[in-house]
Amino acid sequence: GNSIGGFIAAGMAADHPSLVKGLVLVNSAGPITPAFSMAEYQAQVDTKKAPPEFLVQVLCGALFWYLERTVKSTLAWVYPIAPEMTVGWLSEEIERAAADVGAVSVFSAVAYLPPPRALNYMINEKWAGPTLVLQGAKDPLNDSKGRAAQLAALCSRHVRVELLSEAGHCPHDERPELFNAAMIKFASELGPGQARPAYTVQQIVSA
């Protein structure tokens, strides 16, 4: 999964490991918390109060209005290596989806979600299976190199981290040749009848 999709994929692997053979995270969203405590997390969930609906609707409506009008410039920012890829189909599809009558309601539903679990906790403690982290180093949304190093240090079991130096938030689009090669290698290690590989040493690879 890429971005928020990576965080959702990690949650799926953490909660239903028997259904998952391997996990690939591509510039994944989600907090990285070295001292994550499930007890403290559960206390946050139990005490969280829903924000006022009116306030959520007003704030999300205003933010959504702004985002709708900056789709092209935001995409060009997120694709620093290949901004030309954001012209045409990609921006048009996002704009089309944003115009849906229920889009703001879906967007505002984020305010009512429970707090996120730490990404490193879900990977290392709950899933603990073969994991490939592909990280575009020029992601402008966060400290991509720092996150790659943190995941390599904290998720010491079954995890391989590859840092793609010439890619942004979506390395599968900007550097498909490197992305596909890493994916094919990882998938081949999970082939039918093969035992799960145990990645005991993290690898940070620049390409």
Side-chain angles (χ1 to χ4, degrees):
N2 174 231
S3 193
I4 188 64
F7 187 68
I8 293 171
M12 175 67 184
D15 295 336
H16 305 281
S18 63
L19 302 179
V20 180
K21 193 167 186 179
L23 175 64
V24 179
L25 304 178
V26 185
N27 287 72
S28 179
I32 300 174
T33 309
F36 178 82
S37 164
M38 194 61 198
E40 293 178 4
Y41 168 82
Q42 191 59 54
Q44 290 180 350
V45 172
D46 294 340
T47 58
K48 181 180 177 180
K49 296 181 179 179
E53 183 176 356
F54 172 76
L55 182 61
V56 170
Q57 291 296 324
V58 170
L59 292 177
C60 287
L63 180 58
F64 201 81
W65 180 89
Y66 170 77
L67 293 174
E68 278 186 289
R69 285 151 182 79
T70 58
V71 168
K72 290 183 175 63
S73 60
T74 300
L75 283 174
W77 177 60
V78 172
Y79 280 73
I81 304 302
E84 69 279 0
M85 297 190 67
T86 67
V87 179
W89 177 85
L90 181 59
S91 61
E92 290 169 2
E93 278 297 293
I94 294 174
E95 289 169 344
R96 179 196 60 77
D100 188 279
V101 67
V104 176
S105 295
V106 173
F107 188 70
S108 62
V110 174
Y112 302 100
L113 293 175
R117 291 174 292 178
L119 188 61
N120 53 289
Y121 167 78
M122 292 194 292
I123 295 172
N124 215 33
E125 302 299 328
K126 297 291 290 180
W127 159 234
T131 303
L132 173 64
V133 176
L134 288 173
Q135 195 83 349
K138 294 188 176 180
D139 188 345
L141 296 179
N142 52 49
D143 177 12
S144 187
K145 292 181 181 179
R147 285 175 66 83
Q150 275 189 297
L151 287 174
L154 295 172
C155 303
S156 59
R157 294 179 293 168
H158 317 292
V159 175
R160 181 166 69 229
V161 177
E162 298 197 14
L163 185 65
L164 305 179
S165 60
E166 292 300 313
H169 189 64
C170 302
H172 50 291
D173 285 338
E174 292 190 303
R175 297 302 303 272
E177 73 285 358
L178 298 176
F179 178 86
N180 291 342
M183 287 287 290
I184 290 170
K185 180 181 178 182
F186 182 69
S188 68
E189 294 170 344
L190 303 174
Q194 296 184 23
R196 288 181 169 183
Y199 299 129
T200 56
V201 178
Q202 307 83 24
Q203 301 175 26
I204 299 182
V205 180
S206 295

